[in-house]
Amino acid sequence: MSTSPGTAQENAAGRTLELRLGPVAHGGHMVARHEGRVVFVRHGLPGELVRAELTDAAPEATFWRADVVDVLEPSPHRRDHVWDLADSLKAHRAGLPPVGGAEFGHIALDEQRRLKAAVVREQLERLAGMELDVEVEPVALREDSDDDAGGLAWRTRCSFSVTAEGRLAMHAHRSETLIPVGPMPLATEEINRLRLWELDLDGVERLEVAAPACGSAPLVVFTLADGVAPSRLTDVLARLSPEVSASAVGPDAGRAPSPCGAGGPSPSGSSAATTR
């Protein structure tokens, strides 16, 4: 039921609905319904009763999108979120949208795996007509260990934007809003050890960082704003370990070369330059 009765026009983005969440869907959403319309809700769990703020709710749309902002009846599988900036409840209280990319951070790990298996199973049945048992298994972070780090510290590649003040940032989900970030629980130790959030990134539009599984040094590719010379990165690189590979590319550059030397085009564009 809605917290404010009325037409679809009144229930535009920014309105809050009270919803009973249904099954999990692809992309980290839970499926709910409001007056016959499907609403894809992030940051919830099946069976929960929540208040969800509409984030994409055009009156003529066949479905809406929403984020949980309050939990009225929590699931027993709900836990404290692993990353405050991605916690929809805390972000809403602070008047900000949550960072995207960690929509299951509030869910106990065993339940995360069960939900992901359910998504794969449903897709196989619906798209391929196959009825199969699916199990999502833990994956160790190192070959010589069975430690899965509690489902964290696995991401070997990260993409970032930069705020107007030169701070490392990420976008909120489906939004142009930039949220300054610090350590990222999903990123590998090698990436967090770079402490990129401490750098003055004035003149940089975005950066990509990779910690290759082949064991070579991390690679950071800085995309400079139009008109900014690669020499701007002199001070930035002085704060990074000499072992880090770094490149500066122009705003129209292509993708960076493989950090493991596995082929692929070199950076190209109006101002591509390898820094070190």
Side-chain angles (χ1 to χ4, degrees):
M1 59 182 172
S2 171
T3 57
S4 58
T7 66
Q9 180 64 41
E10 291 174 334
N11 289 329
R15 293 281 184 173
T16 301
L17 305 178
E18 187 174 301
L19 300 169
R20 177 70 70 179
L21 303 183
V24 65
H26 178 71
H29 302 84
M30 308 300 150
V31 180
R33 291 187 179 274
H34 171 70
E35 297 179 353
R37 190 193 306 264
V38 170
V39 185
F40 290 108
V41 184
R42 299 187 312 140
H43 309 290
L45 274 154
E48 289 188 328
L49 181 65
V50 302
R51 290 192 181 95
E53 182 177 286
L54 295 169
T55 58
D56 190 352
E60 69 280 3
T62 57
F63 63 86
W64 287 344
R65 300 178 188 272
D67 285 352
V68 173
V69 296
D70 193 15
V71 181
L72 305 178
E73 295 179 10
S75 164
H77 303 293
R78 178 173 283 273
R79 68 176 183 185
D80 290 340
H81 205 291
V82 297
W83 190 11
D84 284 354
L85 292 179
D87 186 332
S88 181
L89 307 183
K90 291 181 179 178
H92 179 72
R93 289 195 292 268
L96 296 170
V99 168
E103 282 76 9
F104 276 10
H106 63 287
I107 304 175
L109 188 54
D110 287 347
E111 183 66 4
Q112 288 188 42
R113 292 173 176 146
R114 192 193 70 78
L115 292 175
K116 291 175 181 179
V119 170
V120 175
R121 186 166 52 249
E122 188 273 337
Q123 293 287 303
L124 288 173
E125 183 175 349
R126 183 170 62 88
L127 300 178
M130 302 171 62
E131 295 186 8
L132 297 175
D133 289 332
V134 177
E135 180 181 359
V136 176
E137 298 179 347
V139 176
L141 297 183
R142 300 286 186 271
E143 292 184 0
D144 58 352
S145 171
D146 59 0
D147 179 19
D148 67 354
L152 304 176
W154 56 269
R155 196 177 183 98
T156 59
R157 290 177 177 266
C158 294
S159 299
F160 301 98
S161 294
V162 179
T163 68
E165 297 75 29
R167 294 187 61 190
L168 191 73
M170 295 179 70
H171 282 95
H173 181 69
R174 297 173 62 87
S175 170
E176 294 301 315
T177 301
L178 288 176
I179 310 296
V181 298
M184 293 143 290
L186 298 185
T188 63
E189 180 182 352
E190 290 81 3
I191 290 177
N192 277 321
R193 194 183 297 134
L194 298 177
R195 305 184 72 84
L196 296 172
W197 56 87
E198 294 182 352
L199 301 179
D200 175 7
L201 297 170
D202 183 44
V204 178
E205 285 192 341
R206 64 181 184 272
L207 60 149
E208 315 285 329
V209 58
C214 62
S216 60
L219 168 67
V220 185
V221 180
F222 299 88
T223 298
L224 301 176
D226 195 15
V228 176
S231 58
R232 161 66 188 93
L233 293 180
T234 301
D235 292 339
V236 174
L237 296 177
R239 300 285 301 276
L240 292 175
S241 167
E243 297 180 355
V244 175
S245 298
S247 294
V249 299
D252 298 323
R255 67 184 179 89
S258 168
C260 292
S266 297
S268 61
S270 59
S271 59
T274 298
T275 307
R276 73 173 185 216

